[in-house]
Amino acid sequence: MSPAQKLEISCDDPEQKTTPGNLTPNETEILETVADAWNNIIRDVSGARTDSNIPANSDDKCGNFADDYVNIKTMLQTSSDGGGAENGDSEEVPNSGNGGGGKASSVLKPSPSVGMSLENLMEVPIGSSGKNGGSENGSATSMMDEAWEQLSRSYVYFKGQRVGTLAAIDTGGEALNYNQVFVRDFVPCGLACLMKTDADVDIVKNFLLKTLHLQGWEKRIDNFTLGEGVMPASFKVIQDPSRQKEVLQADFGGTAIGRVAPVDSGFWWIILLRSYTKCTHDYSLSELPQVQRGMKLILNLCLSDGFDTFPTLLCADGCSMIDRRMPEHDGKELIERIDKRITALSYHIQNYYWLDFTQLNNIYRYKTEEYSHTAVNKFNVIPESIPDWVFEFMPLRGGYFIGNVSPARMDFRWFLVGNCIAILSCLATPSQATAVMDLIEERWTDLIGEMPLKIAYPALEGHEWRSVTGCDPKNTRWSYHNGGSWPVLLWLLTAASIKTGRPQIAKRAIELVEQRLAKDGWPEYYDGITGRYIGKQARKYQTWSVTGYLVAKLMIENPSNLLIISLEEDKKIAKPKLTRSASWTF
Ligand code: GLC
């Protein structure tokens, strides 16, 4: 395969592959935001505006920041189963199965996370965070140490090499499938390995290659054959007694509880590949023919007809990983399809999914049964279908992307993952990104609570719980996926906070997590309206709860780590003109 045909992982200009040189304009922009953010943090923790070293006027905030910004810039420039999965490969066997009140103080306390001097932090190269992210604060340091220890206990070995992490190491409960390596769960683990001092890149590379290998299996569930690009939800290493060797067993949803198809695994795989490349500058991995093929299969799958219309799959921003032109042949054709899809997706998300006070008021006043292109109420939403809670919840300042949009029905619920990923992937406009962070501040008790972070708000109750969840006892109100609080989400909130120049938000959430998470044994999730109780069926020592915390700390202590996960805006995409007013600001 000639280089011209390759799908390139979007990191730097090709010239930078071996000798990282100047920052791209987008990186410069991110760093300017980060620089601003740090100035804000310093002001917050130093008690602020009376400090003679810090400008009293917020308009001056870039004033004395130039030096810090130059430091960051210099630093970056110089561092720079079942499921019927079967296969004839002797290494693998098919799976045997078939086919509170929000007690958060409004005054920010000095955080252990920012106790270090800014200069020291900024001199640390990308991928490093002091002593593996430890801070000077004793308890936070011991929590970091414990987290690294827990992470290392979770490693899964295959033929002597680390290839992933167990989802949980809870000896107290039934393992179910928590003794497997989940693709999505490994992402924060891999990021922690990449961001730490002396980045531990091997495990990430092994994981990417092993899961890619599993993608190559013929995937049959019942009598259906899954698309070639489908990545497994999870896999495990088992000892095959007949062959007396270790073999891999993968699940493509065929044995998952509820038989849920792993829609997101391929996206996460590409995202992690990009993070690996960004961190290591090792382009040889993404250029391997089998890796090229894997990427193309995933893209073909999510760019196929129907993928853009089926609501649960309308999250195809895995495409935005590839933000450089791919010159020829199938690469070129894929890029064109990606460009078209992102333009349409951006328009759709930014217009139809966006809700703020003004837009809520517009919907409240909608006329119905409109016909033709001039219709304002395009999806014929009946205003009476707006749930009462939205009117209470919506602040004057702030806004968010709602859960789903379909004819005559809008799911007005807040979902943290979608909102943060929209920010990190630039699907949100800058003013929408700011408004999302405003909303989090305005509705802190509801969205962050006592133990961060609510996965969705509000919980479904009564009739809605019965009809939507099918009376699922695990998803009772304010539990698990139905308004439960998931510590793993801390890393996403932190990344979005830093990207929007609002790291204080992450810092506040980290402080809450530091009060309980380790003491509670790193549970998978918390229950209750403010997330006060350890989840009913939550596993303890859930690996991604551990690494969600680690990644959040590694980013807050060294904001340049954000570049490993945040995507840059593709300037080429025509920005849809927003017809609605941006969120209300004072
Ligand atoms: C639960 C979560 C899923 C996670 C798995 C393993 O099923 O919903 O997202 O991957 O546990 O931790």
Side-chain angles (χ1 to χ4, degrees), residues 73-127:
K73 194 172 165 184
T74 313
M75 176 268 291
L76 277 176
Q77 284 172 341
T78 51
S79 75
S80 267
D81 70 73
E86 299 183 31
N87 184 298
D89 186 326
S90 62
E91 281 183 359
E92 292 89 19
V93 289
N95 192 309
S96 51
N98 183 23
K103 300 291 179 294
S105 151
S106 56
V107 179
L108 299 183
K109 289 179 284 171
S111 159
S113 309
V114 290
M116 299 174 77
S117 105
L118 181 64
E119 261 179 28
N120 291 344
L121 290 175
M122 293 314 172
E123 275 160 14
V124 179
I126 192 169

Side-chain angles (χ1 to χ4, degrees), residues 258-318:
R259 304 288 184 267
V260 187
V263 169
D264 58 332
S265 290
F267 296 140
W268 284 122
W269 186 87
I270 295 190
I271 288 170
L272 193 61
L273 173 63
R274 187 256 185 193
S275 297
Y276 169 90
T277 313
K278 182 89 188 170
C279 176
T280 61
H281 292 271
D282 168 16
Y283 285 78
S284 66
L285 180 66
S286 66
E287 287 173 0
L288 286 175
Q290 65 269 35
V291 174
Q292 290 281 309
R293 183 169 184 273
M295 273 196 270
K296 286 175 185 169
L297 288 176
I298 294 170
L299 291 174
N300 267 324
L301 190 71
C302 64
L303 291 168
S304 64
D305 292 342
F307 201 96
D308 52 346
T309 47
F310 188 56
T312 57
L313 303 182
L314 192 58
C315 56
D317 61 347

Side-chain angles (χ1 to χ4, degrees), residues 350-370 376-387 390-391 394 400-406 408-412 580-581:
Q350 291 170 7
N351 285 274
Y352 305 134
Y353 278 66
W354 183 248
L355 193 72
D356 57 13
F357 173 76
T358 310
Q359 176 59 6
L360 179 60
N361 212 151
N362 291 342
I363 300 173
Y364 174 68
R365 288 165 51 78
Y366 267 168
K367 292 185 179 59
T368 57
E369 310 295 327
E370 291 175 299
V376 175
N377 180 3
K378 291 196 173 123
F379 300 103
N380 198 32
V381 175
I382 320 285
E384 282 68 30
S385 72
I386 306 173
V390 186
F391 294 105
M394 184 59 75
Y400 66 105
F401 298 102
I402 64 172
N404 216 337
V405 174
S406 54
R409 232 186 106 96
M410 296 177 100
D411 181 348
F412 287 94
R580 299 188 185 117
S581 64

